[in-house]
Amino acid sequence: MEDFEMNGLPAIAVRGVIPIPNNEFRIEIGREISLKALELCEKKYDNEVILLIQKNPILTDVESKDLETIGVKAKLTLKLKLPNNNFKVKFRILERVKIESFVSTKPCFMVETSSYPTFIGDSTEETALVRTVINEVSKNAQLVLNNADDVLRIIQLGVTADEVTDVIADHLKNVEFKYKYLSEQSLIKRMEFILEDIAREKQIGDIENKINQEVKKNIDESQKEYYLREKMKVIQNELGDKARQDQEVDDLKEKIMNAKMPKKIEEKALQELQRYSQTSVQMAESNILKAYLDFLVALPWNNASEDVNDLTKVSESLNENHYSLDKVKDRILEYLSVKIMTNRNPQTILCLVGPPGVGKTSLASSIAKALGRKFVKQSLGGISDESEIRGHRRTYIGALPGRITKGMKDAGTINPVFLLDEIDKMSSNYRGDPASAMLEVLDPEQNSHFSDNYVEEEYDLSQVLFITTANDLSTIPAPLRDRMEIVELSSYTEFEKYNIARKHLIDRQLEIHGIDSKRFEISEEALYAIIQHYTREAGVRELNRVIGTLVRKSVKKILIEKTDKVSITVDNLQEFLGRIKYFNNLNRNEDQVGIVTGLAYTQFGGDTLDIEVTYYKGKGGLVLTGKLGDVMKESAQAALSFVKSHADTFKIDPLLFSENDIHIHVPEGAVPKDGPSAGVTMTTAIVSALTGRKVDSHLGMTGEITLRGTVLPIGGLKEKAIAAHRSGLKTIMIPQENAKDVEDIPLEVVSNLEIIPVKNVMEVINRALV
Ligand code: ADP
């Protein structure tokens, strides 16, 4: 070892990195041979060491032949032991050296070196080159240098050309074969290398830039394309819609021009059309405008049907479609004759009043047919909001026209027969009073400029022939009723129902079901049985439905059983319709205590109404149950008072009243519409209950009483009589004052019903109790 000290320095082979003088050099040292050299240099050589450049960085064990001939002399300035026992070291590179010989290779390299000086050439050339290099480096510092700022700072310090070259060479980012900066002795050459490297780097940079730009361009391009495509779609949509809209606008314009609206409205429509053509299809407004314009053009403005002003024809048509109803038909013909004579609509409106199913709607439709007019119907039942009649303002979302203009649109002519169904079922609420709107519709003075909120413009209803229907006259507001010519239709008797079925309903059902009338037959008894036991109504709706069922089942039978003809008799009726539903007149054949049959007049026609009375231990109270209107409750009080005050006449112990509670029950108390009429019935039932005497079950009665027992007149006698007959009663007792109404009762009923007018309830009681 001693020898080595004299001759040469310890050497460390480095790989992959080239130390350049005038720079710091940091490496990690791990190879045993290198660690030995490090140790030695510290101990014996004042931290000086030779760094050898390994030709092939991959080799671990190297020999002298694997090392470059030029190396550097370096001074160890920092040594850190790493956890893996390697050392992180820093050298200051001092100078280039030429390796002259390897003194030893074990335990570490020891080399003899000679100096390897830098040749300085022509100073002008050198100066020029230095400037160029500094200039180039400064210009492209970030592009070509690692730690550019440090390098620039060092250059600023005004170091020698040699130093500058070394520092730059060491910091160049991309150097082709960096060893050349060590091995080249000529400074000028080294500077030329630098310029070349920079130029190359710049070129690469340019190319990279170009590539980047190209890439960016490509990306931009595709984004641009995407963007453009998207835009194009929107534009195409717009254009497409526009085209569609243009077509629509043209169509609408044509329709508006053809609609022959009043000038003012036409102008307005064109204005709105203009707005429509300018609103985007995407906007909600567009739909609203479209709906409005569509509605305007669909409304009839000018189109009228020609009236058939032939009363005979009207009469024929009514007779053809409706059985009996002679009085009603007469009234209708009178009404229409005024119209024909004056050639304008009568001042009053026809109002057909009667229970459901008696033919009000079908009469109105027959009138339309006979006059050759269009027929439209709008139901007013349940309307409580004025805007149902007058429409909503268009500013509301989902605004709709009112039922009147809507009906006119459906009619398509300005002079249809317009049926306003159930005008008695309108009510009023905080949203206004539909009845007053109806007044405007029906008033010939006003309806030529009816205003619908939706249409916004006046609409002429003066050519329309309005007909209204109602079940109950009493609930029609008085101002409306004053405008109307009331025509009452009453319940049908069984005989009438029978004939309506025979003459109309059966044929119509056969036609609907496409079956030849020769293949279906129903006996008289069967038809009556249907009327009595399968339906219970004032009109013939249910009957019509039941006949429909019969015909349908017969068709099935004909098809499945291949029979020629179906005959329906009382015997096979149940086979078709199932069990009997109503026992009307079979109901109570037995006389009972405390049960009396009253007669009521409801909006569904006349009906019978069993009133039951009983009493039990109590404190003299009156208990009322069932569907009793307030009016009936008062009747009950009056009845009880009358019985109390005549207790001795009836031989009732007065104590009975104070020691018991009396209970009055009205089982199916359909609320009557004719006001109080159950006084006599209740009185009779109370007396029967308290005296234990039975009541004639074939007797019906109607009439209100005063406290003295006077029987007061009632309404709806005809309906009540028909109902009594329908229910199989044999006798009815009516107020004396109603005796004059008996002539209204159909003959068929009168001839089968004993009708006894009475003045005082005593007469009723005497007759009723058996
Ligand atoms: P409403 O309007 O009074 O409730 P509809 O006019 O709807 O009654 O009548 C119900 C059905 O009964 C319809 O098919 C109708 O043709 C029929 N109808 C009612 N009365 C008669 C009648 N007198 N003659 C013939 N068919 C009638």
mmCIF file of all heavy atoms in Angstrom, residues 239-270:
data_model
loop_
_atom_site.group_PDB
_atom_site.id
_atom_site.type_symbol
_atom_site.label_atom_id
_atom_site.label_comp_id
_atom_site.label_asym_id
_atom_site.label_seq_id
_atom_site.Cartn_x
_atom_site.Cartn_y
_atom_site.Cartn_z
ATOM 1 N N LEU A 239 -83.513 24.624 -38.740
ATOM 2 C CA LEU A 239 -83.960 24.798 -40.124
ATOM 3 C C LEU A 239 -85.148 23.909 -40.401
ATOM 4 O O LEU A 239 -86.145 24.319 -40.993
ATOM 5 C CB LEU A 239 -82.824 24.459 -41.084
ATOM 6 C CG LEU A 239 -81.741 25.544 -41.181
ATOM 7 C CD1 LEU A 239 -80.633 25.091 -42.097
ATOM 8 C CD2 LEU A 239 -82.344 26.837 -41.690
ATOM 9 N N GLY A 240 -85.043 22.629 -39.911
ATOM 10 C CA GLY A 240 -86.118 21.667 -40.142
ATOM 11 C C GLY A 240 -87.404 22.185 -39.528
ATOM 12 O O GLY A 240 -88.456 22.245 -40.177
ATOM 13 N N ASP A 241 -87.285 22.574 -38.234
ATOM 14 C CA ASP A 241 -88.466 23.070 -37.544
ATOM 15 C C ASP A 241 -89.016 24.295 -38.226
ATOM 16 O O ASP A 241 -90.213 24.479 -38.347
ATOM 17 C CB ASP A 241 -88.114 23.406 -36.098
ATOM 18 C CG ASP A 241 -87.956 22.144 -35.290
ATOM 19 O OD1 ASP A 241 -88.455 21.122 -35.781
ATOM 20 O OD2 ASP A 241 -87.343 22.178 -34.223
ATOM 21 N N LYS A 242 -88.056 25.097 -38.611
ATOM 22 C CA LYS A 242 -88.461 26.335 -39.263
ATOM 23 C C LYS A 242 -89.315 25.988 -40.478
ATOM 24 O O LYS A 242 -90.390 26.523 -40.689
ATOM 25 C CB LYS A 242 -87.189 27.078 -39.683
ATOM 26 C CG LYS A 242 -87.421 28.527 -39.984
ATOM 27 C CD LYS A 242 -87.549 29.321 -38.689
ATOM 28 C CE LYS A 242 -88.403 30.538 -38.954
ATOM 29 N NZ LYS A 242 -89.094 31.003 -37.790
ATOM 30 N N ALA A 243 -88.755 24.992 -41.234
ATOM 31 C CA ALA A 243 -89.466 24.610 -42.451
ATOM 32 C C ALA A 243 -90.852 24.106 -42.084
ATOM 33 O O ALA A 243 -91.848 24.482 -42.692
ATOM 34 C CB ALA A 243 -88.684 23.530 -43.163
ATOM 35 N N ARG A 244 -90.865 23.256 -41.007
ATOM 36 C CA ARG A 244 -92.149 22.717 -40.610
ATOM 37 C C ARG A 244 -93.065 23.856 -40.199
ATOM 38 O O ARG A 244 -94.220 23.915 -40.579
ATOM 39 C CB ARG A 244 -91.940 21.756 -39.436
ATOM 40 C CG ARG A 244 -93.070 20.769 -39.267
ATOM 41 C CD ARG A 244 -92.999 20.112 -37.929
ATOM 42 N NE ARG A 244 -93.356 21.071 -36.903
ATOM 43 C CZ ARG A 244 -92.964 20.963 -35.649
ATOM 44 N NH1 ARG A 244 -92.197 19.992 -35.272
ATOM 45 N NH2 ARG A 244 -93.337 21.864 -34.767
ATOM 46 N N GLN A 245 -92.470 24.744 -39.373
ATOM 47 C CA GLN A 245 -93.284 25.848 -38.896
ATOM 48 C C GLN A 245 -93.786 26.713 -40.031
ATOM 49 O O GLN A 245 -94.923 27.153 -40.023
ATOM 50 C CB GLN A 245 -92.448 26.689 -37.937
ATOM 51 C CG GLN A 245 -92.844 26.476 -36.513
ATOM 52 C CD GLN A 245 -92.373 27.641 -35.662
ATOM 53 O OE1 GLN A 245 -92.411 28.780 -36.087
ATOM 54 N NE2 GLN A 245 -91.949 27.339 -34.468
ATOM 55 N N ASP A 246 -92.891 26.923 -40.979
ATOM 56 C CA ASP A 246 -93.299 27.745 -42.115
ATOM 57 C C ASP A 246 -94.529 27.142 -42.779
ATOM 58 O O ASP A 246 -95.499 27.822 -43.066
ATOM 59 C CB ASP A 246 -92.156 27.837 -43.131
ATOM 60 C CG ASP A 246 -91.117 28.848 -42.667
ATOM 61 O OD1 ASP A 246 -91.420 29.590 -41.707
ATOM 62 O OD2 ASP A 246 -90.027 28.876 -43.256
ATOM 63 N N GLN A 247 -94.434 25.809 -42.940
ATOM 64 C CA GLN A 247 -95.557 25.102 -43.563
ATOM 65 C C GLN A 247 -96.809 25.298 -42.717
ATOM 66 O O GLN A 247 -97.872 25.628 -43.219
ATOM 67 C CB GLN A 247 -95.192 23.612 -43.654
ATOM 68 C CG GLN A 247 -96.238 22.765 -44.344
ATOM 69 C CD GLN A 247 -96.436 23.202 -45.789
ATOM 70 O OE1 GLN A 247 -95.473 23.458 -46.507
ATOM 71 N NE2 GLN A 247 -97.673 23.328 -46.215
ATOM 72 N N GLU A 248 -96.589 25.087 -41.382
ATOM 73 C CA GLU A 248 -97.708 25.227 -40.452
ATOM 74 C C GLU A 248 -98.299 26.627 -40.512
ATOM 75 O O GLU A 248 -99.510 26.804 -40.536
ATOM 76 C CB GLU A 248 -97.193 24.995 -39.041
ATOM 77 C CG GLU A 248 -97.635 23.709 -38.444
ATOM 78 C CD GLU A 248 -97.068 23.541 -37.060
ATOM 79 O OE1 GLU A 248 -96.390 24.447 -36.550
ATOM 80 O OE2 GLU A 248 -97.309 22.479 -36.487
ATOM 81 N N VAL A 249 -97.390 27.585 -40.488
ATOM 82 C CA VAL A 249 -97.847 28.968 -40.489
ATOM 83 C C VAL A 249 -98.657 29.252 -41.754
ATOM 84 O O VAL A 249 -99.733 29.853 -41.692
ATOM 85 C CB VAL A 249 -96.636 29.926 -40.365
ATOM 86 C CG1 VAL A 249 -97.062 31.356 -40.625
ATOM 87 C CG2 VAL A 249 -96.019 29.810 -38.988
ATOM 88 N N ASP A 250 -98.157 28.747 -42.861
ATOM 89 C CA ASP A 250 -98.900 28.950 -44.111
ATOM 90 C C ASP A 250 -100.281 28.315 -44.038
ATOM 91 O O ASP A 250 -101.281 28.921 -44.392
ATOM 92 C CB ASP A 250 -98.127 28.344 -45.286
ATOM 93 C CG ASP A 250 -96.903 29.199 -45.611
ATOM 94 O OD1 ASP A 250 -96.824 30.329 -45.071
ATOM 95 O OD2 ASP A 250 -96.048 28.745 -46.392
ATOM 96 N N ASP A 251 -100.288 27.053 -43.534
ATOM 97 C CA ASP A 251 -101.571 26.346 -43.422
ATOM 98 C C ASP A 251 -102.533 27.114 -42.545
ATOM 99 O O ASP A 251 -103.707 27.295 -42.880
ATOM 100 C CB ASP A 251 -101.357 24.954 -42.815
ATOM 101 C CG ASP A 251 -100.677 24.018 -43.797
ATOM 102 O OD1 ASP A 251 -100.497 24.440 -44.961
ATOM 103 O OD2 ASP A 251 -100.314 22.892 -43.394
ATOM 104 N N LEU A 252 -101.980 27.530 -41.384
ATOM 105 C CA LEU A 252 -102.838 28.233 -40.436
ATOM 106 C C LEU A 252 -103.380 29.521 -41.048
ATOM 107 O O LEU A 252 -104.549 29.862 -40.877
ATOM 108 C CB LEU A 252 -102.053 28.556 -39.167
ATOM 109 C CG LEU A 252 -102.159 27.510 -38.064
ATOM 110 C CD1 LEU A 252 -101.183 27.811 -36.948
ATOM 111 C CD2 LEU A 252 -103.581 27.454 -37.506
ATOM 112 N N LYS A 253 -102.505 30.176 -41.760
ATOM 113 C CA LYS A 253 -102.926 31.437 -42.354
ATOM 114 C C LYS A 253 -104.084 31.200 -43.320
ATOM 115 O O LYS A 253 -105.095 31.909 -43.297
ATOM 116 C CB LYS A 253 -101.751 32.078 -43.092
ATOM 117 C CG LYS A 253 -102.071 33.458 -43.595
ATOM 118 C CD LYS A 253 -100.821 34.198 -43.960
ATOM 119 C CE LYS A 253 -101.188 35.600 -44.394
ATOM 120 N NZ LYS A 253 -100.022 36.363 -44.784
ATOM 121 N N GLU A 254 -103.925 30.152 -44.083
ATOM 122 C CA GLU A 254 -104.979 29.837 -45.033
ATOM 123 C C GLU A 254 -106.289 29.555 -44.298
ATOM 124 O O GLU A 254 -107.351 30.055 -44.669
ATOM 125 C CB GLU A 254 -104.555 28.618 -45.852
ATOM 126 C CG GLU A 254 -105.331 28.471 -47.145
ATOM 127 C CD GLU A 254 -104.917 27.220 -47.880
ATOM 128 O OE1 GLU A 254 -103.703 26.923 -47.904
ATOM 129 O OE2 GLU A 254 -105.815 26.535 -48.405
ATOM 130 N N LYS A 255 -106.143 28.774 -43.210
ATOM 131 C CA LYS A 255 -107.347 28.446 -42.442
ATOM 132 C C LYS A 255 -107.992 29.695 -41.864
ATOM 133 O O LYS A 255 -109.223 29.819 -41.844
ATOM 134 C CB LYS A 255 -107.002 27.468 -41.318
ATOM 135 C CG LYS A 255 -106.810 26.054 -41.805
ATOM 136 C CD LYS A 255 -106.617 25.128 -40.625
ATOM 137 C CE LYS A 255 -106.127 23.752 -41.074
ATOM 138 N NZ LYS A 255 -105.496 23.030 -39.979
ATOM 139 N N ILE A 256 -107.139 30.580 -41.363
ATOM 140 C CA ILE A 256 -107.686 31.817 -40.776
ATOM 141 C C ILE A 256 -108.442 32.605 -41.849
ATOM 142 O O ILE A 256 -109.561 33.076 -41.624
ATOM 143 C CB ILE A 256 -106.557 32.683 -40.166
ATOM 144 C CG1 ILE A 256 -105.972 31.980 -38.938
ATOM 145 C CG2 ILE A 256 -107.077 34.060 -39.776
ATOM 146 C CD1 ILE A 256 -104.723 32.635 -38.386
ATOM 147 N N MET A 257 -107.831 32.699 -43.006
ATOM 148 C CA MET A 257 -108.465 33.478 -44.063
ATOM 149 C C MET A 257 -109.781 32.832 -44.519
ATOM 150 O O MET A 257 -110.714 33.510 -44.904
ATOM 151 C CB MET A 257 -107.531 33.634 -45.272
ATOM 152 C CG MET A 257 -106.206 34.314 -44.973
ATOM 153 S SD MET A 257 -106.307 35.802 -43.985
ATOM 154 C CE MET A 257 -106.906 36.951 -45.198
ATOM 155 N N ASN A 258 -109.794 31.500 -44.451
ATOM 156 C CA ASN A 258 -111.002 30.801 -44.900
ATOM 157 C C ASN A 258 -112.103 30.768 -43.853
ATOM 158 O O ASN A 258 -113.241 30.418 -44.159
ATOM 159 C CB ASN A 258 -110.659 29.350 -45.275
ATOM 160 C CG ASN A 258 -109.869 29.307 -46.565
ATOM 161 O OD1 ASN A 258 -109.911 30.269 -47.339
ATOM 162 N ND2 ASN A 258 -109.142 28.231 -46.790
ATOM 163 N N ALA A 259 -111.720 31.058 -42.598
ATOM 164 C CA ALA A 259 -112.693 30.871 -41.520
ATOM 165 C C ALA A 259 -113.779 31.944 -41.544
ATOM 166 O O ALA A 259 -114.806 31.801 -40.893
ATOM 167 C CB ALA A 259 -111.986 30.880 -40.172
ATOM 168 N N LYS A 260 -113.542 32.996 -42.282
ATOM 169 C CA LYS A 260 -114.507 34.094 -42.372
ATOM 170 C C LYS A 260 -114.863 34.646 -40.999
ATOM 171 O O LYS A 260 -116.033 34.828 -40.665
ATOM 172 C CB LYS A 260 -115.779 33.639 -43.079
ATOM 173 C CG LYS A 260 -115.533 33.078 -44.470
ATOM 174 C CD LYS A 260 -116.735 33.345 -45.363
ATOM 175 C CE LYS A 260 -116.571 32.742 -46.734
ATOM 176 N NZ LYS A 260 -117.119 31.371 -46.872
ATOM 177 N N MET A 261 -113.858 34.866 -40.217
ATOM 178 C CA MET A 261 -114.090 35.459 -38.897
ATOM 179 C C MET A 261 -114.443 36.929 -39.092
ATOM 180 O O MET A 261 -114.125 37.500 -40.135
ATOM 181 C CB MET A 261 -112.802 35.415 -38.072
ATOM 182 C CG MET A 261 -112.189 34.054 -37.948
ATOM 183 S SD MET A 261 -110.561 34.207 -37.178
ATOM 184 C CE MET A 261 -110.068 32.497 -37.147
ATOM 185 N N PRO A 262 -115.042 37.515 -38.059
ATOM 186 C CA PRO A 262 -115.231 38.965 -38.130
ATOM 187 C C PRO A 262 -113.853 39.611 -38.290
ATOM 188 O O PRO A 262 -112.869 39.111 -37.753
ATOM 189 C CB PRO A 262 -115.831 39.305 -36.772
ATOM 190 C CG PRO A 262 -116.389 38.033 -36.254
ATOM 191 C CD PRO A 262 -115.588 36.935 -36.844
ATOM 192 N N LYS A 263 -113.830 40.713 -39.016
ATOM 193 C CA LYS A 263 -112.548 41.367 -39.371
ATOM 194 C C LYS A 263 -111.614 41.526 -38.177
ATOM 195 O O LYS A 263 -110.430 41.206 -38.242
ATOM 196 C CB LYS A 263 -112.826 42.764 -39.973
ATOM 197 C CG LYS A 263 -112.766 42.775 -41.497
ATOM 198 C CD LYS A 263 -111.329 42.806 -42.012
ATOM 199 C CE LYS A 263 -111.091 42.183 -43.366
ATOM 200 N NZ LYS A 263 -111.112 40.774 -43.503
ATOM 201 N N LYS A 264 -112.208 42.001 -37.074
ATOM 202 C CA LYS A 264 -111.400 42.297 -35.905
ATOM 203 C C LYS A 264 -110.692 41.037 -35.399
ATOM 204 O O LYS A 264 -109.516 41.070 -35.026
ATOM 205 C CB LYS A 264 -112.315 42.871 -34.824
ATOM 206 C CG LYS A 264 -111.593 43.488 -33.672
ATOM 207 C CD LYS A 264 -112.546 44.239 -32.754
ATOM 208 C CE LYS A 264 -112.065 44.150 -31.327
ATOM 209 N NZ LYS A 264 -113.104 43.787 -30.378
ATOM 210 N N ILE A 265 -111.458 39.957 -35.395
ATOM 211 C CA ILE A 265 -110.891 38.719 -34.861
ATOM 212 C C ILE A 265 -109.863 38.141 -35.834
ATOM 213 O O ILE A 265 -108.833 37.618 -35.435
ATOM 214 C CB ILE A 265 -112.015 37.714 -34.571
ATOM 215 C CG1 ILE A 265 -112.954 38.335 -33.540
ATOM 216 C CG2 ILE A 265 -111.456 36.402 -34.077
ATOM 217 C CD1 ILE A 265 -114.203 37.560 -33.291
ATOM 218 N N GLU A 266 -110.162 38.303 -37.099
ATOM 219 C CA GLU A 266 -109.219 37.815 -38.101
ATOM 220 C C GLU A 266 -107.870 38.532 -37.942
ATOM 221 O O GLU A 266 -106.812 37.915 -37.958
ATOM 222 C CB GLU A 266 -109.779 38.055 -39.495
ATOM 223 C CG GLU A 266 -108.934 37.441 -40.591
ATOM 224 C CD GLU A 266 -109.533 37.723 -41.954
ATOM 225 O OE1 GLU A 266 -110.492 37.020 -42.314
ATOM 226 O OE2 GLU A 266 -109.057 38.656 -42.624
ATOM 227 N N GLU A 267 -107.974 39.844 -37.754
ATOM 228 C CA GLU A 267 -106.741 40.618 -37.576
ATOM 229 C C GLU A 267 -105.968 40.116 -36.369
ATOM 230 O O GLU A 267 -104.768 39.913 -36.409
ATOM 231 C CB GLU A 267 -107.066 42.104 -37.372
ATOM 232 C CG GLU A 267 -107.073 42.867 -38.682
ATOM 233 C CD GLU A 267 -107.777 44.213 -38.541
ATOM 234 O OE1 GLU A 267 -107.718 44.805 -37.438
ATOM 235 O OE2 GLU A 267 -108.391 44.653 -39.534
ATOM 236 N N LYS A 268 -106.731 39.906 -35.303
ATOM 237 C CA LYS A 268 -106.084 39.439 -34.085
ATOM 238 C C LYS A 268 -105.435 38.071 -34.317
ATOM 239 O O LYS A 268 -104.312 37.820 -33.888
ATOM 240 C CB LYS A 268 -107.121 39.350 -32.981
ATOM 241 C CG LYS A 268 -106.698 38.489 -31.841
ATOM 242 C CD LYS A 268 -107.137 39.036 -30.547
ATOM 243 C CE LYS A 268 -106.418 38.285 -29.460
ATOM 244 N NZ LYS A 268 -106.865 38.645 -28.167
ATOM 245 N N ALA A 269 -106.148 37.205 -35.012
ATOM 246 C CA ALA A 269 -105.621 35.865 -35.269
ATOM 247 C C ALA A 269 -104.331 35.962 -36.080
ATOM 248 O O ALA A 269 -103.352 35.264 -35.795
ATOM 249 C CB ALA A 269 -106.657 35.029 -36.004
ATOM 250 N N LEU A 270 -104.323 36.852 -37.056
ATOM 251 C CA LEU A 270 -103.121 36.994 -37.876
ATOM 252 C C LEU A 270 -101.961 37.530 -37.046
ATOM 253 O O LEU A 270 -100.813 37.120 -37.218
ATOM 254 C CB LEU A 270 -103.397 37.914 -39.073
ATOM 255 C CG LEU A 270 -104.318 37.289 -40.130
ATOM 256 C CD1 LEU A 270 -104.681 38.307 -41.197
ATOM 257 C CD2 LEU A 270 -103.683 36.046 -40.751
#
